[in-house]
Amino acid sequence: MTQAFPPGEGWQAWPAPAKLNLFLRITGRRPDGYHALQTVFRLLDWGDTVHVRLRQDAGIHRQGAGAMGVAEADDLLIKAAKLLQMEAKTAQGADIGIEKRIPMGGGFGGGSSDAATVLVALDRLWGLHLGRDRLARLGVRLGADVPVFVHGRNAWAEGVGEQLQPLALPPAWYVLVSPPVHAATAAMFQSPDLTRDAAPVTIAGFLSGIVRDNAFEPVLRRREPAIEAVFKALSRIGQPRLTGSGSGCFVEFATRESAEAALVALPPGIHAWLARGAERSPLLEAVEHYT
């Protein structure tokens, strides 16, 4: 369900696309306590819309409702704007609103993408021109997935997800389902059932098609009957996969026609929708249009 944002004078709309993790392995734990992982990020042409309006003072304020249950002080939209303001030592301010389409806790990267869009948009609107690399380094302080959205390219990722290598992916369409389960990232990483010592894989291994596993899938399927039910339903139309550490599930198709046919073949009661895999983020196009 889309959470609308009321339009008004002076507002600019900026896209915040969702992502999929086409696989995800945890290969160990780093000295700093964080988990080392390998994954492939696939950006989608579907997501949230961030609205920004410049202010005449240094205030940073959220307008309208944010993500459900998230206080303004805890909202990544506001945290991103304040972090950029502090880093750039600027006295410029902004009002920020959001049209939410990406479900929370689904592993589709909504909060991280929203934060990245704020960084990129305000970098332009405030005339800072800090550059993608510097914005990405700021972004990782907000969340490990933020840098991939700042750079706006499909990518092979390692480290905690911030070490990125652009990766060309074939065209694809996806049937997406978000079960009514909020899978909190921190809790999932703390699960005693989680495999933390998987064998590392190579890009060639992924591109060959033999690597499609997600470390969180067996944990969530055992814990959450709703996710297990979605997997069983999706298995009728293809090979279901989990995205990120969330509850979101997907099946990949080579063409829109095959994805549409699969969508209508799903049993009643499964709320599913389609999204196209993007070659590059629509946020990059928005920046180029603004320039």
Side-chain angles (χ1 to χ4, degrees):
M1 180 180 295
T2 300
Q3 176 182 297
F5 179 80
E9 185 176 352
W11 290 94
Q12 290 193 22
W14 296 79
K19 59 82 176 170
L20 296 175
N21 295 86
L22 299 187
F23 87 100
L24 192 156
R25 287 191 180 185
I26 299 173
T27 57
R29 183 167 288 193
R30 307 182 342 163
D32 60 9
Y34 286 94
H35 291 85
L37 58 84
Q38 292 181 312
T39 191
V40 166
F41 288 114
R42 176 92 206 216
L43 301 178
L44 301 177
D45 69 349
W46 160 80
D48 296 339
T49 303
V50 174
H51 296 266
V52 180
R53 180 176 63 187
L54 298 183
R55 295 175 59 91
Q56 298 303 311
D57 57 26
I60 302 289
H61 299 288
R62 187 176 74 187
Q63 302 296 321
M68 187 177 298
V70 178
E72 181 169 347
D74 299 323
D75 197 323
L76 282 176
L77 294 167
I78 302 304
K79 287 185 174 183
K82 289 184 175 180
L83 179 61
L84 181 63
Q85 187 184 58
M86 181 177 62
E87 175 75 10
K89 298 180 175 60
T90 180
Q92 300 178 84
D95 293 324
I96 304 170
I98 185 76
E99 282 182 76
K100 283 299 295 180
R101 301 180 188 88
I102 305 174
M104 293 179 61
F108 297 109
S112 294
S113 186
D114 297 343
T117 293
V118 168
L119 292 175
V120 171
L122 288 180
D123 179 64
R124 285 289 173 173
L125 296 175
W126 286 346
L128 304 177
H129 305 293
L130 298 187
R132 290 296 166 83
D133 289 342
R134 189 170 173 186
L135 292 176
R137 288 195 296 272
L138 278 181
V140 79
R141 292 158 61 179
L142 300 165
D145 291 352
V146 176
V148 74
F149 292 111
V150 169
H151 286 293
R153 301 282 185 178
N154 298 319
W156 174 273
E158 299 195 43
V160 297
E162 88 291 6
Q163 297 173 19
L164 302 171
Q165 181 176 340
L167 186 64
L169 296 172
W173 284 78
Y174 299 91
V175 172
L176 308 178
V177 180
S178 181
V181 174
H182 180 99
T185 300
M188 291 306 304
F189 273 104
Q190 293 168 6
S191 170
D193 301 329
L194 187 65
T195 299
R196 297 177 171 83
D197 57 355
V201 295
T202 63
I203 293 177
F206 167 76
L207 293 176
S208 72
I210 62 173
V211 178
R212 293 293 183 268
D213 50 292
N214 182 312
F216 298 99
E217 178 190 323
V219 178
L220 279 167
R221 290 181 69 177
R222 283 194 298 267
R223 287 187 179 186
E224 302 290 347
I227 294 177
E228 178 63 19
V230 167
F231 261 77
K232 288 182 177 179
L234 290 178
S235 67
R236 302 182 185 184
I237 62 170
Q239 180 186 1
R241 286 181 263 173
L242 194 78
T243 178
S245 60
S247 59
C249 309
F250 67 95
V251 179
E252 182 178 290
F253 296 89
T255 65
R256 178 172 185 166
E257 292 74 19
S258 58
E260 289 175 339
L263 183 65
V264 300
L266 285 173
I270 300 293
H271 173 60
W273 66 100
L274 297 185
R276 182 178 62 86
E279 295 182 10
R280 63 199 298 263
S281 172
L283 179 60
L284 296 185
E285 299 174 8
V287 170
E288 292 166 0
H289 176 75
Y290 177 81
T291 303

